[in-house]
Amino acid sequence: MTRNLRITNNKFIDQTSRISFKFDGKTLYGFKGDTLASALLANNIHLVGRSFKYHRPRGIMTCGSEEPNAILQVGNDPSMTEPNTRATEIELYEGLVASSQNCWPSVNFDMGAVNNFFSPIIPAAFYYKTFMWPTNFWKLYEYFIRKSAGLGKSPTEPDKDIYDHRYLHCDVLVVGGGISGIMAAKIAAKNNLNTVLIDDKNVLGGTTLFQQNECFKINNSYSNEWIKKEIETLNSLKNLTIKTRTSLAAYHNYNYLLARENLTDHLDLNEKKDKIRQRLWKIRAKKVIIATGAMERPLIFNNNDRPGIILSYSIKKYIDYYGVKCGQKISLFTNNDSAYETAISLSNSGVSVNSVVDIRDKTNSLIVNQVEKLGIKIHWKSTVVNTNGYKKINSIEIMKLSDDGTAVVGKKIKEECDCLGISGGWTPRVHLFTQAGGKLKFRDEDNVFLPDTTELDQISIGSCNGDFELDNVIKNSVNLTNKFLKINNNNYENLEIISSKEIEKKNIWLLPSNKHLGKTKSFLDFQNDSTANDVKLALREGFKSIEHVKRYTTTGMATDQGKLSNMHALGIIAETAGVKMGELGTTTFRPPYTPLTFGAIVGRNVGEFFDIIRKTPMHEWHIENKAEFENVGQWKRAWYYPIDNENMYEAVQRESKAARDSAGILDASTLGKIDIQGSDASEFLNRVYTNAWSKLEIGKCRYGLMLNEDGMVYDDGVTTRLSENHYLMTTTTGGAANVLSKLEDYLQTEWPELDVYLTSVTDHYGTISICGPNSKKILSKIIPDLILSDKDFPHMSFKNALIDNINCRVMRISFTGEHSYEINIQSSYAKSVWEKCFEAGKEFNITPYGTETMHLLRAEKGFIIAGQDTDGTMTPVDLHMDWIISKKKYDFIGKRSLYRSDTIREDRKQLVGLLTEDPNEILEEGAQVVAETNKQPVEMLGHVTSSYFSPNLNKSIALAVVKNGKKLKGQKMFVPMKNKIINVTVTDTVFLDKENKRLNA
Amino acid sequence: MFLINCPYCGERDQSEFSAGGEAHIERPKQPTELSDDQWAEYLFMRKNIKGVQFERWNHAHGCRKWFNMVRDTSNDKIHAVYKMGEKPPIK
Ligand SMILES: [Zn+2]
């Protein structure tokens, strides 16, 4: 086990700084600069997980964000553990704890692996086909499937980490810090453009950073030496901001981009504490240069998923960058020249390369010749037909390809190896380009989708634009950048470049085997465990669209969005269906490019910052007096004030009785208040309310009903005329903001000629409502100068007054049917005045009541609550409020709709009262009202909108909307509940004091 | 996310704005003289074009002014913004 897989000659990993970490309970060591994947490989650990469906052993396969297998659970703290993290992207830190996910009980012995032996009966869509029927059984199956195939564990406690959001504006954003991105950023910054360069790795340089090869030289230096100097020069550029460990997640329209910066994920456990973990950058860039490079493709052949089978260029990075040997006897399998770079790197580091299996005919490019010179055997025009080894590859079987590439011929050669590097060519990372709505074109020569047209100010340069050879990458990146930025002076003129040219190209999407296709396991999507055979089966079953095949086989639907599998799936579909790949189109790549944490998405908007909490000026008093609170929109409103051990029902009964027997006090500050001024204020009110306002005297109040243009009740409230051209409108608590917006809309767009100004003053005034037969006495104690006789201060009127020298407005208005007053006073004084009222009311047993009692009291009087008794389908006529519709007014919002054929129907749902046969039976709000009990299905005629036990009437009361309700008065109806049917009688909506005697009591 | 050029404030992020449906539908001056069909035409009928569309927008978290916008719904390109009451600068 302790074979030394580390080479000592390495520039990037600090081999003096040893780091300990745990994987599946075992303590292991790596070095600063390692990723979790490189450290595991250095410890000769390839097997890191089990596949999703068949539970086949799977190993690390790549070195980047496209990793499909090394998907691990990191951390074991119940609030910090994170599932589905890619070992290839996790920088090693002291104290890191990681474990395999998709295996039970352990990665080395997995119960689910029996699926592998039964795999012939687990074809594409097996789960859909088997477990979805009969439908009810899914609940049963799901438990077992989840247990044996889960993808990681969610944290069970709140995330303790801090996340952050910030905005960033720049002239040019360069995404990707490889050779193309570095050159583009330098050109932009040198030309006075405010430039930002981001890269998801901890260092810039991309793959050029470790490219030390005779075949790739710039100005007589190895390309890695050249790029190192370029990176050094970036630091002196004033206009350039460089962000490493920053991954671009999403590219939206108008060059709006989201990038996640990892700030502490690479730090040791004790260094992470109290620091911001990740920051989400919200970027607006005038221009975007995408230089995201390309990713290597796998090859699709029988048993291509064993641990130890790694993308060839990743093997190169592990040896050249991390100094880690992925094996001691490595074989390579390729369809292109890049695997030869790996062969040279391995050879330079003293790792023996068994052979290169190449599906092409013999080719003579610079780099191939160099490999041949090293004496490495090349199997031309050959393919791997099988691999062996259960938990780790131990040999491959090689055969010659037929001339047309569809079959294998000749004798099978067996070659022992402990690692197989595979390369199926390169796929440009066009994900961001397409996220932003860019259209792709297909290049047949090497089977790549390339950026074509875009509506945005962006370009793609380098490998993501289809340039794979060093000289093309440099030349085209520079030219495209200059053109895009409209710059003439060139920082990169006359570079002398040596670059190996690929001469021969050949591609076979699904490599043939000596076995029948049905007997092979050629994996396409490693994470979701779908095979080439599954895709072919889907096509045989009649699926044609790539989007359908994808969903049916789940190919490309795992957390990697099919980064490795999509091209082959498309290729196989195109080949099987006999269409051109370019015509088939691709599936859509959606943001985020790599998964984002929820923490990064929500940023600081957690806990008390999740939503605004609005509190009235008397809030603290309510808390001191043990109020329970109700959320009304963003407001916290006192709901009820339990005394001793009262429950809500008991408290509300007591409060309701007290308010009618003597005096109650309510915090009504949340009601919307709109200050209306201007010479056309009266005319404006005429147009927005159903009733007439011109004749309202100064100092008087009036109830108003506001409709939508469709004639349905929208909001209501009392408006007071403060002076000739000055009104104070009140709205419902929940409707305040929308009413103001609606009124502004009409003023600005339909009636710009009106001289009217609207100002929201909801937060400026606290509102104290005192009601009950003793309310007059209490008010007279607070404001002794005010004459409170019915003659001087009648119901529906208003007075300016002074309380302790503070101006306030007192309205005599009532929402309970009791004699009552509302004091409006500047918010900062509201609490002290409230306390004063409470003090003054003590001798009358003044009782604070909350929203629940308010609702009960108004229901006794049959007053509606817009939004509770109405739902956007009730006209004033439906609510028996014909009296408030002006017949004289020529027009108001919604007037014309009141006599549309539908609104004049007599059998509309209308507001009624309901009394239960048993006066102690309280109906449930929302319960249905029916006329028959012995019919199924029965017509639902309406529903209960408000229901309470009235302590003042000593019986249960309810409001309901019922079809044709007005004509049903006195009729028996039924409210069917789960276990019983409740008998009710339809009544008038006013239950208490029909003559309104109490208003002047 | 759009970048919207408010005619009163200049370029602002889309999150500051709210959309208000089709533009240039004037509220009839004499609704009571309209037939049910004519009123329904005003009240309910809205175009839903794939292509260039005239829309109302409100700078809700800014100056709170309503204005009009010409937007191509197929690619979200904004061709013009103009104040209420002004004629569209584009046909
Ligand atoms: Zn504005």
Side-chain angles (χ1 to χ4, degrees):
Chain A
M1 278 305 281
T2 49
R3 276 181 296 174
N4 191 8
L5 293 168
R6 224 26 117 154
I7 57 163
T8 45
N9 173 23
N10 182 286
K11 301 186 195 81
F12 304 102
I13 304 298
D14 176 7
Q15 296 201 12
T16 60
S17 64
R18 204 170 77 144
I19 286 176
S20 74
F21 67 102
K22 269 188 176 172
F23 176 67
D24 279 343
K26 217 166 120 190
T27 301
L28 301 165
Y29 298 95
F31 297 115
K32 195 103 208 148
D34 262 329
T35 61
L36 178 54
S38 69
L40 287 169
L41 289 170
N43 283 280
N44 198 26
I45 293 173
H46 284 252
L47 172 60
V48 288
R50 293 279 176 159
S51 73
F52 186 66
K53 206 154 68 178
Y54 308 119
H55 289 242
R56 286 168 68 105
R58 289 282 164 80
I60 296 160
M61 201 180 160
T62 72
C63 60
S65 61
E66 60 271 33
E67 174 60 36
N69 293 339
I71 308 289
L72 303 180
Q73 185 92 26
V74 170
N76 53 12
D77 180 310
S79 66
M80 315 281 254
T81 185
E82 191 175 352
N84 300 334
T85 54
R86 291 157 300 282
T88 48
E89 290 194 306
I90 300 165
E91 292 180 49
L92 203 65
Y93 55 84
E94 185 65 42
L96 172 72
V97 178
S99 54
S100 304
Q101 291 188 158
N102 189 24
C103 49
W104 179 73
S106 82
V107 70
N108 278 298
F109 176 77
D110 183 294
M111 290 292 277
V114 290
N115 280 2
N116 193 27
F117 300 110
F118 295 127
S119 64
I121 62 161
I122 312 184
F126 172 72
Y127 288 92
Y128 294 142
K129 284 172 182 164
T130 311
F131 295 123
M132 292 313 281
W133 188 91
T135 328
N136 289 342
F137 275 45
W138 170 248
K139 284 183 212 141
L140 206 76
Y141 298 135
E142 195 189 12
Y143 173 78
F144 293 101
I145 291 173
R146 293 269 182 251
K147 189 166 168 66
S148 59
L151 274 176
K153 285 190 282 293
S154 304
T156 51
E157 284 171 23
D159 192 342
K160 288 179 208 152
D161 277 322
I162 309 165
Y163 300 84
D164 202 21
H165 285 180
R166 275 184 75 180
Y167 290 91
L168 195 155
H169 298 261
C170 58
D171 294 327
V172 180
L173 174 72
V174 182
V175 187
I179 186 165
S180 300
I182 286 170
M183 291 190 299
K186 189 166 163 184
I187 292 171
K190 274 204 156 187
N191 285 278
N192 289 324
L193 294 165
N194 171 15
T195 306
V196 176
L197 171 64
I198 65 168
D199 193 275
D200 57 355
K201 301 279 191 300
N202 57 340
V203 288
L204 297 179
T207 54
T208 315
L209 198 60
F210 49 90
Q211 182 66 287
Q212 188 163 334
N213 188 313
E214 290 293 337
C215 302
F216 306 99
K217 291 182 114 177
I218 305 167
N219 282 352
N220 241 342
S221 299
Y222 287 125
S223 52
N224 62 332
E225 287 163 3
W226 185 83
I227 199 82
K228 211 178 145 210
K229 283 192 196 122
E230 283 297 300
I231 294 168
E232 279 160 17
T233 64
L234 293 182
N235 296 327
S236 61
L237 296 173
K238 280 199 198 92
N239 294 316
L240 180 65
T241 308
I242 299 170
K243 295 208 164 296
T244 52
R245 297 191 174 100
T246 303
S247 145
L248 200 96
Y251 187 171
H252 297 292
N253 212 338
Y254 287 81
N255 281 352
Y256 179 69
L257 305 99
L258 299 175
R260 183 216 40 220
E261 183 179 15
N262 273 336
L263 296 163
T264 65
D265 281 355
H266 61 289
L267 298 180
D268 291 350
L269 273 184
N270 53 1
E271 292 175 332
K272 290 181 200 283
K273 232 181 149 244
D274 300 328
K275 294 191 180 115
I276 295 164
R277 182 189 171 199
Q278 295 176 342
R279 176 172 285 144
L280 192 72
W281 288 94
K282 302 178 171 186
I283 306 169
R284 261 309 167 186
K286 292 208 177 92
K287 286 169 175 280
V288 176
I289 298 175
I290 303 176
T292 44
M295 58 195 156
E296 196 168 26
R297 292 175 191 167
L299 287 165
I300 311 303
F301 56 99
N302 187 25
N303 288 320
N304 60 343
D305 67 326
R306 299 198 188 284
I309 300 181
I310 303 178
L311 293 183
S312 142
Y313 219 81
S314 298
I315 295 175
K316 176 172 157 60
K317 181 163 185 183
Y318 284 121
I319 193 76
D320 285 346
Y321 185 85
Y322 299 105
V324 173
K325 305 175 197 172
C326 291
Q328 311 272 35
K329 294 178 293 173
I330 298 180
S331 299
L332 295 167
F333 180 23
T334 187
N335 69 1
N336 68 91
D337 275 4
S338 58
Y340 293 83
E341 294 177 33
T342 308
I344 290 166
S345 287
L346 288 170
S347 185
N348 287 347
S349 289
V351 182
S352 74
V353 177
N354 297 323
S355 72
V356 180
V357 181
D358 195 323
I359 72 166
R360 300 174 295 177
D361 294 328
K362 185 167 166 42
T363 170
N364 279 310
S365 65
L366 188 59
I367 192 146
V368 171
N369 290 341
Q370 215 190 0
V371 168
E372 281 185 318
K373 256 187 248 160
L374 289 169
I376 295 168
K377 161 110 183 112
I378 302 172
H379 299 277
W380 294 111
K381 205 184 168 188
S382 298
T383 181
V384 175
V385 293
N386 194 17
T387 66
N388 301 298
Y390 184 57
K391 288 179 194 168
K392 173 93 181 281
I393 190 168
N394 57 30
S395 66
I396 57 174
E397 294 166 21
I398 307 163
M399 286 179 83
K400 280 265 177 222
L401 281 165
S402 66
D403 286 340
D404 64 358
T406 60
V408 283
V409 292
K411 257 181 63 187
K412 200 159 72 180
I413 306 164
K414 197 165 178 178
E415 185 175 284
E416 288 194 359
C417 65
D418 59 358
C419 173
L420 174 67
I422 55 174
S423 177
W426 293 85
T427 299
R429 293 186 203 258
V430 294
H431 307 67
L432 295 177
F433 176 81
T434 59
Q435 270 186 22
K439 299 274 179 288
L440 301 173
K441 62 188 174 202
F442 190 72
R443 188 164 74 193
D444 291 308
E445 171 196 325
D446 54 353
N447 294 295
V448 290
F449 282 103
L450 297 175
D452 189 12
T453 56
T454 170
E455 303 273 352
L456 301 183
D457 213 351
Q458 60 150 329
I459 50 162
S460 297
I461 58 170
S463 310
C464 71
N465 196 37
D467 286 325
F468 298 129
E469 284 166 1
L470 186 64
D471 52 347
N472 289 340
V473 167
I474 293 176
K475 210 168 59 203
N476 293 339
S477 295
V478 170
N479 287 344
L480 285 168
T481 303
N482 281 342
K483 216 172 115 192
F484 181 59
L485 302 178
K486 300 184 180 69
I487 287 168
N488 290 321
N489 72 334
N490 191 340
N491 298 291
Y492 298 103
E493 261 171 36
N494 308 320
L495 289 181
E496 222 176 277
I497 302 162
I498 296 173
S499 175
S500 175
K501 283 266 162 209
E502 189 170 82
I503 301 162
E504 186 82 19
K505 293 187 195 304
K506 185 172 181 179
N507 184 57
I508 301 171
W509 292 115
L510 173 56
L511 290 153
S513 163
N514 55 329
K515 286 190 188 147
H516 182 263
L517 180 67
K519 294 251 159 50
T520 61
K521 280 255 168 294
S522 307
F523 284 91
L524 269 179
D525 187 320
F526 296 85
Q527 202 180 130
N528 263 356
D529 238 9
S530 67
T531 63
N533 206 10
D534 291 335
V535 169
K536 292 212 163 202
L537 175 69
L539 293 167
R540 281 202 302 278
E541 290 182 352
F543 288 92
K544 285 195 179 75
S545 148
I546 170 69
E547 294 288 353
H548 292 160
V549 173
K550 170 180 154 179
R551 280 160 182 79
Y552 189 59
T553 63
T554 72
T555 302
M557 291 189 68
T559 61
D560 60 359
Q561 288 194 59
K563 288 191 182 81
L564 289 185
S565 60
N566 281 338
M567 286 308 294
H568 296 89
L570 283 170
I572 291 168
I573 292 167
E575 230 165 53
T576 313
V579 293
K580 282 194 168 166
M581 266 184 90
E583 288 160 16
L584 201 60
T586 63
T587 58
T588 317
F589 301 109
R590 310 220 183 260
Y593 177 67
T594 51
L596 279 177
T597 56
F598 282 113
I601 293 167
V602 298
R604 304 267 177 171
N605 302 318
V606 291
E608 60 178 317
F609 299 116
F610 178 69
D611 196 10
I612 292 161
I613 295 171
R614 297 176 79 183
K615 296 171 184 168
T616 72
M618 295 77 113
H619 190 80
E620 290 307 314
W621 191 93
H622 304 321
I623 290 175
E624 282 160 24
N625 287 272
K626 311 276 186 294
E628 292 290 331
F629 287 90
E630 177 184 25
N631 293 327
V632 183
Q634 292 166 327
W635 287 103
K636 292 274 174 208
R637 292 199 72 179
W639 196 6
Y640 58 97
Y641 300 81
I643 294 175
D644 300 328
N645 291 318
E646 277 179 338
N647 60 23
M648 174 163 148
Y649 176 81
E650 290 159 352
V652 169
Q653 293 291 305
R654 173 181 51 76
E655 291 171 12
S656 302
K657 193 112 181 43
R660 291 217 192 278
D661 286 351
S662 178
I665 182 166
L666 170 83
D667 178 0
S669 308
T670 63
L671 285 184
K673 296 181 267 295
I674 300 171
D675 186 275
I676 302 174
Q677 300 191 42
S679 55
D680 293 316
S682 303
E683 171 60 18
F684 179 68
L685 290 173
N686 271 335
R687 295 186 191 186
V688 299
Y689 277 132
T690 61
N691 44 350
W693 291 79
S694 313
K695 287 185 185 146
L696 183 69
E697 287 169 40
I698 294 166
K700 288 276 162 34
C701 314
R702 183 165 285 172
Y703 174 77
L705 197 59
M706 204 181 282
L707 308 184
N708 268 326
E709 205 69 273
D710 61 7
M712 304 303 158
V713 170
Y714 176 65
D715 204 86
D716 66 347
V718 170
T719 295
T720 304
R721 189 165 198 174
L722 301 173
S723 67
E724 177 65 25
N725 296 323
H726 190 184
Y727 290 85
L728 182 68
M729 173 189 276
T730 60
T731 73
T732 59
T733 298
N738 291 335
V739 169
L740 181 70
S741 294
K742 183 187 164 95
L743 299 185
E744 270 292 347
D745 187 352
Y746 274 92
L747 262 185
Q748 288 182 33
T749 67
E750 300 294 352
W751 310 319
E753 72 281 4
L754 293 186
D755 174 39
V756 176
Y757 301 89
L758 307 175
T759 311
S760 167
V761 292
T762 305
D763 300 272
H764 304 48
Y765 298 98
T767 305
I768 301 159
S769 173
I770 305 171
C771 82
N774 286 318
S775 57
K776 192 197 241 178
K777 290 179 197 148
I778 295 167
L779 192 70
S780 69
K781 279 176 75 180
I782 301 162
I783 318 174
D785 316 344
L786 206 59
I787 303 163
L788 298 178
S789 69
D790 287 342
K791 185 174 153 287
D792 285 294
F793 196 177
H795 182 57
M796 296 308 268
S797 64
F798 133 85
K799 296 268 185 256
N800 282 310
L802 284 174
I803 300 178
D804 293 340
N805 274 330
I806 307 301
N807 282 314
C808 62
R809 293 170 179 152
V810 184
M811 280 85 170
R812 188 173 160 195
I813 51 178
S814 175
F815 189 43
T816 59
E818 292 299 315
H819 189 128
S820 56
Y821 299 92
E822 258 183 40
I823 303 168
N824 283 277
I825 189 155
Q826 288 172 61
S827 291
S828 47
Y829 300 108
K831 185 167 171 254
S832 69
V833 173
W834 170 277
E835 280 162 350
K836 209 177 165 74
C837 294
F838 195 69
E839 233 7 82
K842 263 189 179 158
E843 60 175 300
F844 306 102
N845 182 34
I846 193 167
T847 301
Y849 66 93
T851 49
E852 193 63 21
T853 292
M854 175 187 80
H855 287 178
L856 189 159
L857 295 173
R858 64 85 210 181
E860 290 177 334
K861 285 291 295 173
F863 295 149
I864 59 152
I865 290 185
Q868 175 161 347
D869 302 297
T870 71
D871 59 1
T873 66
M874 304 295 287
T875 70
V877 182
D878 298 336
L879 298 166
H880 314 270
M881 294 176 87
D882 316 46
W883 55 272
I884 205 172
I885 305 167
S886 164
K887 303 281 181 301
K888 288 183 197 142
K889 280 202 298 187
Y890 182 70
D891 191 15
F892 56 81
I893 296 172
K895 179 178 167 101
R896 175 60 185 84
S897 290
L898 293 178
Y899 53 95
R900 289 175 56 240
S901 59
D902 184 57
T903 44
I904 55 171
R905 257 189 318 116
E906 290 197 352
D907 63 345
R908 292 175 59 81
K909 281 188 180 170
Q910 291 145 355
L911 190 73
V912 297
L914 292 182
L915 288 175
T916 48
E917 197 178 83
D918 171 2
N920 290 316
E921 180 91 62
I922 307 167
L923 296 172
E924 257 182 55
E925 286 174 3
Q928 299 289 324
V929 180
V930 300
E932 289 169 273
T933 55
N934 50 4
K935 208 174 112 187
Q936 275 187 326
V938 64
E939 190 189 357
M940 306 219 240
L941 298 173
H943 66 277
V944 177
T945 58
S946 296
S947 173
Y948 308 91
F949 187 84
S950 160
N952 300 301
L953 295 159
N954 204 22
K955 66 181 176 192
S956 142
I957 57 166
L959 297 172
V961 291
V962 177
K963 196 177 172 192
N964 208 13
K966 286 182 183 176
K967 293 206 177 121
L968 295 175
K969 209 171 283 177
Q971 294 235 21
K972 300 262 182 246
M973 310 272 291
F974 308 97
V975 176
M977 299 305 292
K978 204 171 180 183
N979 306 315
K980 60 185 170 184
I981 291 167
I982 303 169
N983 297 335
V984 296
T985 307
V986 178
T987 69
D988 189 42
T989 54
V990 185
F991 299 99
L992 183 122
D993 185 28
K994 286 190 206 301
E995 306 79 23
N996 291 328
K997 282 185 185 149
R998 304 182 68 92
L999 277 177
N1000 294 316
Chain B
M1 185 111 68
F2 310 165
L3 200 58
I4 297 173
N5 188 13
C6 170
Y8 302 92
C9 308
E11 281 193 339
R12 294 289 191 280
D13 197 274
Q14 186 189 343
S15 57
E16 293 184 13
F17 297 83
S18 64
E22 194 180 336
H24 302 296
I25 297 176
E26 201 179 335
R27 188 174 188 272
K29 289 273 176 289
Q30 296 171 321
T32 45
E33 284 165 29
L34 300 183
S35 68
D36 268 11
D37 282 351
Q38 287 168 320
W39 180 245
E41 182 67 32
Y42 160 71
L43 195 55
F44 302 120
M45 297 306 169
R46 295 294 181 272
K47 292 186 198 114
N48 186 13
I49 301 166
K50 183 180 179 183
V52 175
Q53 182 165 285
F54 296 80
E55 301 173 335
R56 284 154 33 90
W57 282 77
N58 181 228
H59 195 182
H61 300 285
C63 64
R64 292 189 66 83
K65 283 282 196 184
W66 282 91
F67 60 92
N68 289 324
M69 183 192 283
V70 187
R71 181 175 67 103
D72 190 329
T73 58
S74 69
N75 57 15
D76 286 332
K77 224 174 215 171
I78 298 168
H79 293 297
V81 289
Y82 53 103
K83 293 177 181 175
M84 279 293 158
E86 288 179 356
K87 285 223 162 60
I90 299 168
K91 285 279 173 203

